[in-house]
């Protein structure tokens, strides 16, 4: 049981690493400085939880999956807003959308069990390269430059 969970989570991690710089840019402009790096680093945990949920409860109905996803997203968003004192609507939306999308990606990986190869060879690498360039050029993200290059 551990091997399919880890393999599907690693597929999600590969997709996440391609989009991580753009997520980092959006978080850097929307969230308080103290919460950017923890938010970017904990997003893959959402996919792991989704993969575990979908593989443990194999015969979930779509309605139940949606309900679990909504409850999970609301709970995690509330946790982030409470812990990091995020008081802007934009920051709250970034956390909710990021958490929801990563959870949905984990549900997709847990149910389909495949990797989207064309994504890596076309859009993913282009998004990654442009995002790393923009991270280096944005004055607001200068304090996160080292972290951005480690992610790249």
């Amino acid at each position: 049981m551990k091997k399919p969970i880890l393999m599907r989570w690693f597929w999600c991690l590969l997709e996440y690493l391609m989009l991580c710089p753009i997520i980092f840019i959006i978080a850097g402009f929307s969230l308080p400085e103290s919460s950017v790096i923890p938010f970017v680093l904990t997003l893959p945990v959402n996919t792991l939880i989704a993969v575990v949920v979908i593989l443990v409860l194999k015969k979930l109905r779509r309605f139940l999956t949606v309900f679990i996803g909504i409850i999970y997203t609301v709970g995690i968003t509330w946790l982030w807003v409470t812990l990091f004192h995020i008081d802007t609507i934009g920051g709250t939306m970034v956390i909710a959308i990021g958490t929801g999308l990563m959870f949905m990606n984990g549900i997709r990986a847990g149910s389909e069990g495949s990797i989207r190869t064309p994504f890596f060879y076309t859009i993913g690498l282009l998004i990654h390269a442009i995002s790393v360039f923009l991270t280096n050029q944005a004055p607001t993200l200068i304090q996160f430059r080292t972290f951005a290059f480690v992610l790249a």
Side-chain angles (χ1 to χ4, degrees):
M1 184 68 160
K2 289 181 184 178
K3 187 174 180 179
I5 291 174
L6 290 177
M7 287 301 296
R8 291 174 185 194
W9 186 52
F10 287 144
W11 292 334
C12 291
L13 283 178
L14 287 174
E15 292 177 359
Y16 171 73
L17 287 176
M18 287 294 171
L19 293 175
C20 192
I22 194 82
I23 293 169
F24 180 66
I25 289 172
I26 293 169
F29 285 123
S30 303
L31 299 175
E33 186 177 321
S34 63
S35 66
V36 172
I37 293 176
F39 176 71
V40 172
L41 289 178
T42 57
L43 272 178
V45 175
N46 299 321
T47 58
L48 176 63
I49 292 170
V51 169
V52 169
V53 164
I54 202 73
L55 288 178
V56 168
L57 307 170
K58 291 184 182 205
K59 296 186 179 184
L60 279 178
R61 300 206 184 266
R62 290 181 190 254
F63 177 74
L64 186 58
T65 305
V66 170
F67 182 71
I68 291 171
I70 289 172
I71 296 297
Y72 178 80
T73 302
V74 168
I76 295 297
T77 302
W78 175 81
L79 186 67
W80 276 98
V81 168
T82 304
L83 288 177
F84 288 100
H85 306 292
I86 298 169
D87 55 357
T88 63
I89 294 175
T92 305
M93 293 298 292
V94 166
I95 291 171
I97 291 170
T99 302
L101 288 177
M102 294 304 284
F103 194 82
M104 286 179 7
N105 190 27
I107 294 292
R108 182 201 51 82
S111 59
E112 293 177 11
S114 64
I115 193 168
R116 295 182 289 187
T117 318
F119 172 78
F120 289 112
Y121 296 119
T122 55
I123 301 167
L125 290 174
L126 181 65
I127 289 174
H128 191 75
I130 291 171
S131 299
V132 168
F133 175 74
L134 291 176
T135 302
N136 193 29
Q137 302 300 320
T140 307
L141 301 173
I142 287 177
Q143 66 266 22
F144 303 118
R145 186 178 291 168
T146 306
F147 179 70
F149 284 121
V150 168
L151 284 177

